[in-house]
Amino acid sequence: MEHQPELYDVTIIGGGPAGMYAAFYCGMRDLKTKLIDANPELGGKMLIYPEKVIWDVGGVTPVLCRQLIDRLKQQGVTFDPAIVLGEQIASMDRQEDGTYLLTSSGGNIHWTRTVILCIGYGILKMAKLEIEGADRYEISNLHYTVQELELFRGKHVLISGGGDTAVDWANALEPVAERVTIVHRREQFGGHEKNIANMKASSVNVRTPYSVSQLYSSGGERIEEVTICHVDTGETERIKVDAVIVNHGMRSDFGPVREWGLDMGEWSANVSEKLETNLPGVFGAGDFVNYGSKVRLIAGAFTDAVLAVNSAKLYLDPEAPKVAYVSSHNERFKEKNKALGALE
C-alpha cells in the first residue's frame, strides 16, 4: 500500500440501530472505532419509516422513528468514533497478521483488527406495484413510504399491503386522513396482534382478500381511482382515492458480501451465541445475523451489539473483562457526567 491507512481496533459496517449502538459500546470498551455506512446518513432501515411510532424499546416512551434515529446518533458519537458515510465496502481481505483490509467500491481502503457486520438485509429496495405505468405516478400520489403524516390530512388514502408496516401506517393515518382503506391479498395480516386488533376496531376500511388491479387518471398526472379485485372470485370494485401507499415488502441485495466467505442463509449470516461468524475476528449484530435465541426487535439489536463488541474485545485481548463496567461505574463517563452537571 502506497499510503498505509490508519489501523482501528474495530470497524463497524452498517449505521442502523445495531451499528450505532455498537459504536457507543465500543467506546465503553476503550476500542478505537470506525463506522462505515453506504448511505449518506446514519439510520439504516429506520430511515424508510421516519413517521413510524416506536413503542417497544425499553425505557423509551413512544417515539417517532426519526427521533429515535437522532437519539441513537447522539449516543453513537459519544466517544468520537470515526464515521465514514456514502461508502459501500466491496471486499474484506484478511492479511497474514490477522488484520483486515476493507476496500470500498470507490477504491478507498480501511484497515482494522476486527469487523462487526451490522448491515441488516443489505441494500434494500421497495417492492414496486406491479401494474404497467404505475411508476409515472411516483412523482405525484403513489407512495412507497410515509415520510410525513400531514401530507395525507383530510384525504382518501388507499394502502396496499398486509405486513407490520402497512398496519402501522393504517393506524397512524386513521385519525389524520378523511378515509383509510387497506387492501391485502390474504385474510390474515402480519405484524403485532395488538396493532392489527386496533386497526380492525377503528374506522379503517379493511378489504381482504383483495389486490390492486388497475389505476385510473383522467389527466394522466395523479391517480384518481383504483380498481381492487377479489383474489378468489375475481369480483372488482372501483374506489376513489387521493393517494395510494404501497407496502409490498422489500427486496434485499447483499451484493459482494456473499463473496466474503461467510456462512450465510438467504436472509442472514449464521453466528454463534457470542455473535461470532465463521471468520476469525469478524462478528455480526442486528438483522444481519441469525442464532438460536435471536430476537428481531430494535431492542434485540442493542443486545446483539453489546455481545458482538464484547466478543471483539476478548478476541483482541483475551485477558480483558468479559463485559464493560456499567455507565455509573465506568471511568470513561466521569468527566462527561460532570459536563452534564450530574456530579458535584
Side-chain angles (χ1 to χ4, degrees):
M1 291 178 288
E2 293 183 6
H3 301 287
Q4 185 87 341
E6 190 173 357
L7 179 63
Y8 284 81
D9 294 323
V10 177
T11 296
I12 301 159
I13 303 178
M20 287 187 280
Y21 195 73
F24 166 74
Y25 199 76
C26 278
M28 292 185 68
R29 302 290 340 238
D30 198 22
L31 293 165
K32 184 178 179 181
T33 306
K34 177 183 283 188
L35 187 156
I36 303 172
D37 193 89
N39 291 314
E41 60 181 311
L42 296 173
K45 189 172 71 172
M46 294 193 299
L47 292 168
I48 300 173
Y49 314 117
E51 293 291 326
K52 185 174 181 178
V53 179
I54 307 297
W55 285 79
D56 53 7
V57 177
V60 178
T61 53
V63 60
L64 290 175
C65 203
R66 57 179 167 80
Q67 294 172 325
L68 184 58
I69 293 171
D70 288 340
R71 294 177 190 180
L72 283 167
K73 285 180 183 177
Q74 293 173 28
Q75 184 181 49
V77 300
T78 299
F79 298 104
D80 300 316
I83 296 178
V84 178
L85 299 175
E87 281 198 19
Q88 181 182 9
I89 299 302
S91 65
M92 181 176 70
D93 301 302
R94 192 165 189 252
Q95 307 302 292
E96 290 184 3
D97 62 0
T99 62
Y100 283 90
L101 288 182
L102 308 175
T103 305
S104 74
S105 55
N108 292 328
I109 297 175
H110 307 273
W111 190 24
T112 186
R113 300 172 72 193
T114 64
V115 178
I116 300 179
L117 298 170
C118 303
I119 58 175
Y121 298 110
I123 297 174
L124 294 174
K125 294 181 180 179
M126 289 289 191
K128 296 297 186 77
L129 184 63
E130 294 181 353
I131 294 178
E132 186 176 354
D135 56 337
R136 71 174 180 269
Y137 299 114
E138 292 177 12
I139 61 173
S140 55
N141 63 342
L142 175 60
H143 308 270
Y144 288 98
T145 186
V146 175
Q147 296 287 333
E148 186 178 350
L149 291 176
E150 281 299 313
L151 182 67
F152 303 94
R153 182 167 294 280
K155 294 184 177 181
H156 293 182
V157 181
L158 184 140
I159 300 171
S160 178
D164 184 46
T165 299
V167 172
D168 285 347
W169 284 342
N171 286 330
L173 287 168
E174 190 267 342
V176 175
E178 175 69 22
R179 183 184 69 214
V180 176
T181 299
I182 186 166
V183 176
H184 183 38
R185 64 182 301 106
R186 288 185 286 276
E187 293 285 359
Q188 301 299 319
F189 286 87
H192 300 297
E193 296 92 335
K194 184 65 174 176
N195 294 341
I196 296 169
N198 288 343
M199 178 185 71
K200 290 183 176 180
S202 72
S203 66
V204 173
N205 180 25
V206 178
R207 307 304 305 273
T208 61
Y210 280 88
S211 64
V212 176
S213 58
Q214 283 185 284
L215 309 175
Y216 299 94
S217 173
S218 60
E221 296 179 356
R222 300 177 63 83
I223 303 168
E224 296 170 1
E225 291 184 291
V226 168
T227 292
I228 62 173
C229 178
H230 195 284
V231 298
D232 295 326
T233 67
E235 176 188 359
T236 62
E237 180 180 343
R238 203 151 155 166
I239 300 174
K240 292 184 184 242
V241 298
D242 296 310
V244 175
I245 301 169
V246 176
N247 181 246
H248 293 174
M250 290 176 285
R251 296 190 175 98
S252 68
D253 181 5
F254 287 111
V257 174
R258 289 197 178 275
E259 302 171 7
W260 296 357
L262 293 159
D263 176 15
M264 290 184 65
E266 183 179 1
W267 299 104
S268 56
N270 297 311
V271 296
S272 72
E273 295 291 329
K274 295 180 181 180
L275 283 295
E276 304 156 312
T277 72
N278 60 305
L279 302 179
V282 180
F283 310 88
D287 284 337
F288 179 62
V289 302
N290 185 52
Y291 55 97
S293 56
K294 173 66 181 173
V295 176
R296 294 197 178 278
L297 294 171
I298 291 176
F302 299 154
T303 300
D304 285 357
V306 170
L307 293 172
V309 171
N310 285 337
S311 291
K313 179 72 175 183
L314 290 171
Y315 176 84
L316 296 172
D317 180 6
E319 301 302 317
K322 291 184 178 180
V323 298
Y325 288 112
V326 296
S327 60
S328 57
H329 295 87
N330 195 304
E331 290 292 325
R332 294 178 68 81
F333 284 100
K334 282 192 173 181
E335 291 302 317
K336 294 180 183 297
N337 288 339
K338 289 179 182 178
L340 292 171
L343 296 176
E344 296 298 327

